[in-house]
Amino acid sequence: MRIAFVSPSGAMHRHNGSFGRSLHYAPLTLTTLAALVPDELGAELAIYDESAGPVPLDLEADLVCMTVITGTSQRVYRYADYFRSRGLTVVIGGVHASLLPDEVQRHADSVVIGFAEQTFPALLRDFRDGRLAPRYWQGADYTIAGRPLPRRELLDRRRYITLNSIEAVRGCTLRCTFCAYPAAFGRKLHPRPVEEVVAEIVAMRAKYVVFPDVNLIAQKSYARRLFAAIAPLKIWWGGLVTSAIGLDDDLLKLFQRSGCKALLIGYESVAQESQAYMSKGVNRVVDYEGLVRRLHDHGILLQACFAFGADNEDRSIFERTVEVVQRTKIDLPRYSILTPFPQTAYYRQLEAQSRIIERDWAMYDVEHVVYRPALMTPDELLEGTAWAWRETYKATRIAQRLLPSPFRTAIGTPLNLGYKGYAEKFLRFTREVMCDNSDIPQPGAPPPPLAALPAPAALPRAADAVQ
């Protein structure tokens, strides 16, 4: 059996878009699924991550497994329709598949709904036996405990800033109205056994790891156990938390002892009214400056994410945000546009108000405007976001934020330069560019010459790979 794992990307985040290597760490979805392939199948495996390289149209596989988010769905469908026209079987899972399974089903032989770790091996055995079901659902007894190590060796390490991404706790209990995650998967937390996380870090032989988990402190008692266990490993790590980390000095000190060097926090807005609009009750704008200072005092860099476009925000929000970013010396700011993903409370709100103006999911990448804002025009929201990117990532602005700290300058400069390139290309990605998938042949087009997948015998197991 030959299995190809494929992750298409939207135009901005594609390998030839605006995200360079310095902003990419290795994804976990496809490497984890690859690790779940039963040995008894003797399968040949290959991974194609379009954020890191092209997806070959001539790939040879019996089964193509694709992951989809809302912003990539139209491209996923184009690939899926083309591969199916060549006689390949296509399975699609991911956030968008869990949000809109009926839509996804029109382009797939089978759809995976919810998390796939427990259903994927059964799906593969069903495919082998000629009885692939149209849908597979996450079970009520779902757990992420006991998972095999991701097959990181299937990725090209030259395409990523690091292969050492690792999951500790899945899920978030917050009720942010714009977030697609709970709409797709619910709010139940799924922590991994601490000893399994530690064992995986040891197996990677890593000096630095990234935790892409939605919220590492969603369960603080678990976070304390985890990072107390990680501390003796003497590694550096970065991950995602909420601003609540600033209210817990003991946990912040533990983060420092365990090697934390960078945190991503969803600041969302410099306007407290916007926090209420998004139901982001954990954020207190008045505490932002003190939080940055405490993180820096503990040797931790901050990536703060902002989402423009709440109903209380007018054009002044862009200049106000950049002023706060510069004054508080946020190391790596990231700007986005508030986006109503399907099945979220925010989508239902805007749909009821007849304010959604864009129906092509390719534009739902959090950097384009798909609705009518309340206090500015769609063009003003887009142009203001582009201005904030350009202004923040001027060389003088970068230096102002990072200097005079040698550590923050050394770590933060390459990341800032990566975002500087992103900022300079921001407005190149028009609707025409975002929605263009003409590089993928229409279904029924003659296939190009086939290229064989690598033989599994040539691939070491993840536990044996030196990262």
Side-chain angles (χ1 to χ4, degrees):
M1 183 187 299
R2 298 160 301 181
I3 305 173
F5 297 93
V6 179
S7 178
S9 291
M12 267 187 143
H13 298 92
R14 214 168 294 155
H15 63 96
N16 54 359
S18 57
F19 253 45
R21 175 183 178 274
S22 65
L23 301 178
H24 278 305
Y25 56 80
L28 279 172
T29 299
L30 300 186
T31 53
T32 299
L33 291 176
L36 293 165
V37 176
D39 291 339
E40 71 206 50
L41 300 182
E44 301 176 19
L45 310 178
I47 290 178
Y48 302 104
D49 173 13
E50 203 173 27
S51 72
V55 174
L57 295 170
D58 61 349
L59 65 83
E60 184 177 357
D62 302 297
L63 185 66
V64 179
C65 301
M66 307 179 77
T67 183
V68 60
I69 59 176
T70 298
T72 65
S73 59
Q74 302 309 297
R75 191 162 180 83
V76 167
Y77 299 158
R78 182 76 172 238
Y79 273 125
D81 293 345
Y82 173 69
F83 289 140
R84 293 176 82 195
S85 76
R86 286 184 45 205
L88 281 60
T89 300
V90 172
V91 173
I92 301 177
V95 176
H96 194 72
S98 296
L99 292 171
L100 296 176
D102 291 341
E103 175 186 294
V104 174
Q105 188 80 68
R106 296 196 291 269
H107 304 273
D109 297 284
S110 185
V111 176
V112 178
I113 301 169
F115 301 131
E117 282 91 341
Q118 290 177 320
T119 54
F120 191 61
L123 179 154
L124 294 177
R125 292 185 178 101
D126 286 350
F127 174 70
R128 175 198 59 190
D129 297 339
R131 50 186 178 88
L132 184 70
R135 295 190 183 183
Y136 291 82
W137 285 269
Q138 171 188 330
D141 60 343
Y142 173 80
T143 176
I144 61 173
R147 247 179 15 195
L149 296 179
R151 296 289 304 274
R152 296 181 179 89
E153 79 282 3
L154 293 173
L155 298 173
D156 183 348
R157 64 166 47 254
R158 298 168 299 177
R159 302 283 186 167
Y160 304 95
I161 192 171
T162 180
L163 294 187
N164 300 325
S165 49
I166 183 171
E167 185 176 35
V169 58
R170 187 177 296 180
C172 184
T173 58
L174 298 181
R175 297 183 175 274
C176 309
T177 57
F178 60 85
C179 186
Y181 191 96
F185 303 122
R187 292 187 174 84
K188 183 177 180 180
L189 295 178
H190 301 279
R192 287 178 70 190
V194 168
E195 60 273 16
E196 291 187 14
V197 180
V198 172
E200 185 170 340
I201 294 173
V202 171
M204 287 192 291
R205 305 178 194 176
K207 295 181 179 179
Y208 179 83
V209 300
V210 175
F211 291 94
D213 309 32
V214 176
N215 181 9
L216 278 171
I217 60 172
Q219 189 180 85
K220 286 190 177 182
S221 59
Y222 173 82
R224 289 188 176 90
R225 295 197 309 274
L226 174 64
F227 293 108
I230 285 176
L233 301 182
K234 304 298 182 184
I235 63 168
W236 286 8
W237 65 269
L240 286 70
V241 297
T242 67
S243 59
I245 188 65
L247 304 176
D248 193 325
D249 286 340
D250 289 339
L251 187 56
L252 193 54
K253 291 175 183 176
L254 175 59
F255 274 26
Q256 181 181 25
R257 291 197 304 272
S258 65
C260 180
K261 297 300 178 183
L263 290 174
L264 183 152
I265 298 177
Y267 268 32
E268 315 307 355
S269 179
V270 298
Q272 191 61 46
E273 302 92 332
S274 299
Q275 309 296 341
Y277 180 76
M278 303 175 196
S279 296
K280 194 72 177 275
V282 69
N283 284 347
R284 284 173 47 84
V285 173
V286 70
D287 296 333
Y288 280 180
E289 186 168 0
L291 175 54
V292 180
R293 186 169 55 252
R294 284 194 291 278
L295 292 175
H296 288 171
D297 287 346
H298 288 80
I300 299 172
L301 278 71
L302 170 64
Q303 179 174 17
C305 298
F306 298 88
F308 297 126
D311 274 6
N312 55 282
E313 295 179 354
D314 59 22
R315 287 181 295 172
S316 69
I317 192 65
F318 309 110
E319 188 171 350
R320 290 160 55 198
T321 301
V322 171
E323 189 279 327
V324 169
V325 163
Q326 295 301 129
R327 174 169 49 83
T328 62
K329 297 185 180 296
I330 292 172
D331 303 280
L332 193 67
R334 179 167 181 173
Y335 304 119
S336 63
I337 294 170
L338 201 55
T339 300
F341 291 106
Q343 306 293 15
T344 62
Y346 189 44
Y347 185 93
R348 291 193 293 270
Q349 171 193 330
L350 295 183
E351 183 79 311
Q353 297 169 353
S354 300
R355 291 171 58 190
I356 293 179
I357 59 174
E358 177 59 70
R359 300 290 175 176
D360 192 312
W361 295 134
M363 298 293 285
Y364 285 64
D365 70 336
V366 307
E367 297 291 9
H368 291 85
V369 184
V370 300
Y371 65 98
R372 282 193 303 274
L375 300 180
M376 48 185 147
T377 68
D379 284 346
E380 288 171 340
L381 176 53
L382 179 64
E383 291 164 3
T385 304
W387 176 87
W389 274 110
R390 291 194 307 272
E391 186 68 17
T392 300
Y393 284 97
K394 291 179 177 177
T396 54
R397 295 283 200 172
I398 294 172
Q400 179 187 347
R401 291 197 309 277
L402 298 180
L403 294 174
S405 166
F407 171 74
R408 290 172 50 230
T409 300
I411 302 299
T413 296
L415 298 172
N416 272 263
L417 292 178
Y419 271 129
K420 186 176 189 297
Y422 180 88
E424 291 168 349
K425 298 175 184 177
F426 188 85
L427 288 178
R428 298 182 191 177
F429 291 88
T430 62
R431 188 181 192 280
E432 181 181 18
V433 173
M434 294 299 299
C435 300
D436 181 15
N437 293 308
S438 59
D439 56 314
I440 306 171
Q442 292 281 1
L450 298 179
L453 299 181
L459 300 173
R461 294 296 301 181
D464 300 323
V466 177
Q467 302 299 318

